[in-house]
Amino acid sequence: MYAYYRSMSIPATPGGRLGSLTFILAQCLHIAGTASPYWSRDEGFHSGIWKDCYKGKCTSFYDENMIDTWQWLRAVQAMAVLGVIIALFGIITSIVHLRTGNKSLLTIAALSAIGAGILVVLGAVIYVAFNDSSGLYWAFWFEVSASVIMLFSGVGLFTELCRG
């Protein structure tokens, strides 16, 4: 039984640690971008995926009159929230892998990073497809950066898995 357990584990390597740290960095960028009302801006106006702000007064998108015309925004919100959940799951499995060296956990962490990265980039693409892309602001670019870092982190974690 011990020999089987030893074959299923690999020691934590610097590459695995780096992949986990970049995954955590990407999740921080993703949460900041998702929560912020600065996805796009114009003169005196800025908005995110949860709020619309005009001259300092913010209103939620969950007004009964507004949400029916903005179904695409619900899709962006869903992608962002699912990305947060999957990335948190992947970060937890990545940290547990660093403590135990279990290869299965590293596989789950890598798949979670890639899955979360795909969801985040899909949300950003939907946002640009239905919104004027001329006024994109810093929170949107946080999302794009987070998706790229998550994808690279997932590939790096898979590379570590293949080395072990």
Side-chain angles (χ1 to χ4, degrees):
M1 184 67 166
Y2 179 73
Y4 175 75
Y5 175 75
R6 291 296 296 163
S7 70
M8 290 298 294
S9 66
I10 56 174
T13 60
R17 289 185 188 104
L18 180 64
S20 298
L21 287 175
T22 56
F23 195 13
I24 291 169
L25 169 69
Q27 178 69 336
C28 292
L29 287 173
H30 176 48
I31 290 173
T34 299
S36 174
Y38 290 95
W39 280 53
S40 62
R41 75 173 179 154
D42 204 0
E43 194 67 36
F45 168 81
H46 59 89
S47 68
I49 60 174
W50 306 103
K51 289 182 181 179
D52 217 4
C53 302
Y54 182 70
K55 294 188 178 178
K57 185 178 185 306
C58 295
T59 57
S60 175
F61 281 124
Y62 284 104
D63 182 11
E64 296 294 327
N65 301 327
M66 292 179 69
I67 199 63
D68 291 334
T69 59
W70 297 63
Q71 288 298 322
W72 62 269
L73 191 59
R74 301 279 295 223
V76 175
Q77 291 170 345
M79 297 291 172
V81 170
L82 285 172
V84 167
I85 293 168
I86 291 172
L88 282 175
F89 179 71
I91 287 170
I92 291 168
T93 57
S94 175
I95 290 170
V96 173
H97 159 71
L98 290 176
R99 302 295 293 159
T100 63
N102 190 331
K103 282 195 237 181
S104 300
L105 293 175
L106 187 58
T107 303
I108 292 170
L111 287 173
S112 297
I114 291 172
I118 289 170
L119 286 172
V120 173
V121 80
L122 280 175
V125 167
I126 292 169
Y127 188 84
V128 167
F130 287 94
N131 202 3
D132 180 24
S133 62
S134 64
L136 297 175
Y137 207 38
W138 63 265
F140 174 81
W141 296 112
F142 269 25
E143 287 290 301
V144 172
S145 300
S147 67
V148 170
I149 293 170
M150 283 180 188
L151 291 170
F152 278 118
S153 174
V155 170
L157 290 172
F158 265 125
T159 304
E160 285 303 310
L161 181 66
C162 293
R163 285 185 186 176

